[in-house]
Amino acid sequence: MRERRDSRPWVCVTVLLLVTASPHLWGQQRKVERTVAPAKVNSQAPARTPQLVDITASTQIHFEHLASPDQRYIVESMGGGVALLDYDGDGWLDIYFTNGPSVAMALEGKKARSVLYRNNHDGTFRDVTEKAGVGYPCWAMGAAAGDYNNDGRADLVVSCFGGVVLYRNNGDGTFTDVTKSSGLDRDTGWATGVTFGDYDGDGYVDLFVPHYVDFDMKDLPTFGSRKTCQYHDLPVQCGPRGLKGYPDTLFHNNGDGTFTEVAKLVGVDDPKRFFGLGAVWSDFDGDGKLDLFVANDGEPNYLYRNEGNGRFRETGYDAGVAVSDDGVEQANMGLALGDYMHTGRMSVAITHFSDEYAVLYRNDGNLSFSDVSHAAGIARPTEQFVGWGDAFVDLDNSGWLDLVLVNGHVYPQVDDAKLGTAYREPKLVFQNQRDGTFKDVSAQVGAVVTTPQVSRGLAVGDLLNRGRLNLVVENLTGAPMILEARPDPANHWVSFELEGSSTNRMALNARVLVTTGAMQQMDEVRSGGSYLSQNDVRLHFGLGNSTKMDRVEVRWPSGGSQVFEGVAADRFYTLKEGGGLKEKAKP
């Protein structure tokens, strides 16, 4: 067991755990010792529970992700990412839902239609897929946003079973498929949680592509045929165990609209061929260089430290994020980053398979993390569910990040097996208790949270420009769900939209630090994350009862910074690097 890095006193409790059989763990059984922190009384604990309301019907969104009823192949059960982006630059978030066919459809040459919905500015959305030209990219898994050519417009990359597709935003409501001309057609693996980030600081965002398994449509594994095709002795789809992995790729942006694959050259090529599902760029150690976190399903996570010389060093075990605190390789899927304790450092939450627990890696500084899942109170409630999309999100505009997870099993067969679990599962909401712990308030947040669904992607953003956040959930089967947070009306908020001056125009991985009184919050602009999804790149901060911010500091990827004082709350601001903070007119 790793030594915990925490200044608080600890009470050591020995707990015997039995890790039950899971296809992600090959049925490993271990006895472990766990150190549990004592509960800490917090006089500033939140006084009310945030509420979530289902507004799906009023949005006029009519989309259904296609799904095989029996999910006989793993490729049918893993898709469902959703992206929020302002594709037409009108200041309102639009929604892109990815879609994938069944194996039977694909073998017959049939495709599944992904859908782009344009925001009508009145709470409704309109299907503009045909005009935009983004309906049939591939067997789509997920999507992420990034401005790869620095023209100031949000481009869209779609991860596919069979590579990636890059859509260049033309600025007139349409996209052009530039996959081949950009050189990204060289990627042919099963791509998953793609992410843009400028790892070498040249002002052009690069693209990392994690890959899952080497799944061959011409040699389909037989349902329930061997041990790795069974779940608690129940015949199910095969994989990922028993299937081959596929190396990851990193495409360096050449600055001329093309990319060069450099994963092996820089040290992020995944020579062990782990089952990659998610990835995100962030400066985890605060040294000014982007590091890379890769979530691997049923195998150790990677944390690549940027050495600053065009090379990365894998530090997952040394940093404490490769495996759980029990020393177990978990089914790492969704990736959420957030400064939930106001330390100025990004911690990581990862969703997992049932019979495991969602893990919270607290960032202790100096590229050292501690698994505080049990001490923080999120472990036990998550053990019975299969988690996917996740997000740190301030549901109540209190200034403290809550944690939301969406769930759904991979095996429809569990409904008839009396295993104590179900195919459709509820979501989970954990309220930040402001002392390093979370409280499971799922039953109190609203009935929409406990509604069982087969969820996958989760993206967060202010769809209606009201200063309150929305959660967009893409379900593997059936329609999506769009939720609206209903925060305390007495709480204030602020939103920042950043733009790089001439390079990295989307300002990916720029950070904003907001100070109100003794509290300082931090967030950054990111591409990708959650599970195969893309959040709003505008940065939203809840401010509690503060009507203004004492100080706002923006740290640009170029190394420069800007400071603004006495900034009024309850407004949307735009900031171009080197310019002044501008208030956007309220809708």
Side-chain angles (χ1 to χ4, degrees):
M1 182 173 67
R2 292 181 60 248
E3 179 182 355
R4 292 181 179 272
R5 300 169 176 86
D6 195 302
S7 59
R8 294 180 295 172
W10 290 90
V11 175
C12 292
V13 180
T14 299
V15 183
L16 297 183
L17 296 179
L18 184 65
V19 182
T20 55
S22 162
H24 298 269
L25 296 178
W26 268 354
Q28 299 176 68
Q29 297 181 349
R30 308 182 182 204
K31 290 183 179 180
V32 300
E33 292 188 356
R34 175 170 297 133
T35 305
V36 181
K40 181 180 178 181
V41 178
N42 180 14
S43 61
Q44 297 182 341
R48 73 187 295 273
T49 302
Q51 296 297 300
L52 288 170
V53 177
D54 186 357
I55 63 169
T56 312
S58 65
T59 64
Q60 298 182 15
I61 288 176
H62 303 286
F63 168 79
E64 288 201 5
H65 189 280
L66 298 179
S68 168
D70 52 6
Q71 300 287 293
R72 299 184 70 83
Y73 303 102
I74 191 171
V75 70
E76 298 174 329
S77 65
M78 304 298 290
V82 57
L84 305 184
L85 72 162
D86 180 10
Y87 86 100
D88 53 0
D90 63 357
W92 296 76
L93 281 179
D94 311 297
I95 308 176
Y96 185 67
F97 293 104
T98 62
N99 210 346
S102 65
V103 166
M105 288 176 58
L107 291 176
E108 294 175 6
K110 297 179 180 178
K111 299 180 180 180
R113 180 176 180 264
S114 298
V115 182
L116 177 63
Y117 281 96
R118 182 181 184 272
N119 196 320
N120 293 326
H121 309 179
D122 60 2
T124 67
F125 292 78
R126 178 166 52 93
D127 184 344
V128 294
T129 309
E130 268 61 52
K131 178 184 177 181
V134 293
Y136 297 95
C138 55
W139 186 321
M141 302 298 297
D147 183 4
Y148 85 100
N149 56 358
N150 281 327
D151 63 358
R153 296 188 288 266
D155 305 305
L156 185 69
V157 61
V158 181
S159 59
C160 313
F161 170 51
V164 296
V165 169
L166 177 60
Y167 285 121
R168 184 189 65 213
N169 191 329
N170 299 321
D172 59 0
T174 69
F175 290 82
T176 297
D177 184 343
V178 294
T179 311
K180 185 174 182 179
S181 62
S182 68
L184 293 180
D185 61 327
R186 291 192 295 275
D187 193 299
T188 59
W190 179 350
T192 49
V194 292
T195 177
F196 281 108
D198 180 15
Y199 77 88
D200 57 354
D202 65 356
Y204 291 88
V205 293
D206 312 295
L207 179 66
F208 180 78
V209 184
H211 292 109
Y212 199 40
V213 301
D214 188 1
F215 190 84
D216 188 353
M217 289 282 287
K218 297 179 180 179
D219 185 21
L220 295 170
T222 303
F223 182 88
S225 59
R226 50 186 183 267
K227 187 63 177 177
T228 53
C229 310
Q230 296 177 13
Y231 177 68
H232 291 282
D233 297 323
L234 181 71
V236 295
Q237 62 185 232
C238 299
R241 293 297 190 189
L243 301 178
K244 294 180 180 179
Y246 198 94
D248 300 331
T249 52
L250 173 61
F251 290 92
H252 177 263
N253 193 324
N254 299 320
D256 60 0
T258 67
F259 293 84
T260 299
E261 207 288 304
V262 296
K264 187 173 182 179
L265 178 67
V266 305
V268 298
D269 56 321
D270 179 27
K272 296 182 180 179
R273 299 195 172 195
F274 287 166
F275 307 131
L277 277 182
V280 66
W281 297 98
S282 187
D283 180 6
F284 288 104
D285 55 0
D287 66 354
K289 300 182 290 290
L290 281 188
D291 309 304
L292 178 64
F293 197 112
V294 183
N296 293 310
D297 185 6
E299 294 174 312
N301 296 313
Y302 292 135
L303 178 53
Y304 294 106
R305 182 182 187 274
N306 193 329
E307 300 285 89
N309 56 1
R311 296 281 302 176
F312 290 83
R313 178 169 58 88
E314 206 288 297
T315 63
Y317 275 102
D318 291 340
V321 297
V323 295
S324 74
D325 202 40
D326 306 329
V328 174
E329 302 164 353
Q330 299 200 90
N332 307 285
M333 294 188 276
L335 274 173
L337 269 59
D339 181 15
Y340 75 99
M341 292 179 62
H342 299 160
T343 62
R345 299 185 292 268
M346 283 295 178
S347 296
V348 183
I350 309 178
T351 53
H352 292 118
F353 207 78
S354 57
D355 300 329
E356 301 174 354
Y357 62 87
V359 69
L360 175 58
Y361 291 117
R362 185 190 61 208
N363 190 334
D364 299 324
N366 299 317
L367 217 63
S368 177
F369 294 76
S370 295
D371 177 353
V372 296
S373 315
H374 288 85
I378 73 164
R380 186 174 298 276
T382 61
E383 289 175 342
Q384 61 181 307
F385 302 122
V386 179
W388 301 88
D390 56 346
F392 283 105
V393 52
D394 184 355
L395 295 174
D396 202 32
N397 282 342
S398 64
W400 293 86
L401 293 175
D402 308 303
L403 180 61
V404 179
L405 294 75
V406 302
N407 306 299
H409 220 288
V410 291
Y411 310 131
Q413 294 77 19
V414 298
D415 283 342
D416 300 322
K418 298 180 180 180
L419 296 174
T421 188
Y423 186 45
R424 291 171 171 79
E425 297 180 330
K427 301 159 191 63
L428 291 171
V429 176
F430 293 95
Q431 186 179 30
N432 195 324
Q433 299 299 289
R434 309 179 186 184
D435 60 357
T437 70
F438 291 85
K439 179 182 178 181
D440 182 1
V441 294
S442 307
Q444 291 79 47
V445 171
V448 293
V449 172
T450 56
T451 300
Q453 295 176 318
V454 189
S455 300
R456 292 294 184 264
L458 169 66
V460 177
D462 187 349
L463 293 177
L464 307 181
N465 286 342
R466 293 177 179 174
R468 57 180 66 168
L469 294 172
N470 299 99
L471 282 65
V472 181
V473 182
E474 180 161 347
N475 295 309
L476 183 71
T477 62
M481 179 178 279
I482 300 175
L483 307 178
E484 182 175 79
R486 296 287 171 86
D488 186 335
N491 287 343
H492 301 275
W493 56 274
V494 69
S495 176
F496 298 101
E497 182 178 357
L498 306 181
E499 181 184 350
S501 57
S502 59
T503 57
N504 193 355
R505 292 282 299 277
M506 191 176 279
L508 291 182
N509 298 104
R511 291 191 170 184
V512 173
L513 292 82
V514 171
T515 302
T516 52
M519 182 171 70
Q520 184 180 84
Q521 302 179 63
M522 181 271 289
D523 201 0
E524 68 179 347
V525 183
R526 285 189 299 275
S527 170
S530 183
Y531 181 71
L532 310 178
S533 296
Q534 173 69 56
N535 295 324
D536 187 356
V537 295
R538 296 177 299 181
L539 300 182
H540 176 102
F541 296 89
L543 302 175
N545 60 9
S546 298
T547 58
K548 70 174 183 178
M549 288 147 281
D550 301 318
R551 175 185 169 94
V552 174
E553 180 181 357
V554 182
R555 297 177 181 173
W556 298 98
S558 62
S561 65
Q562 293 178 259
V563 175
F564 305 90
E565 296 180 344
V567 180
D570 302 323
R571 288 163 172 78
F572 292 90
Y573 292 99
T574 61
L575 176 64
K576 187 171 182 178
E577 185 174 4
L581 199 61
K582 296 182 179 179
E583 179 184 346
K584 295 189 71 173
K586 291 186 177 180

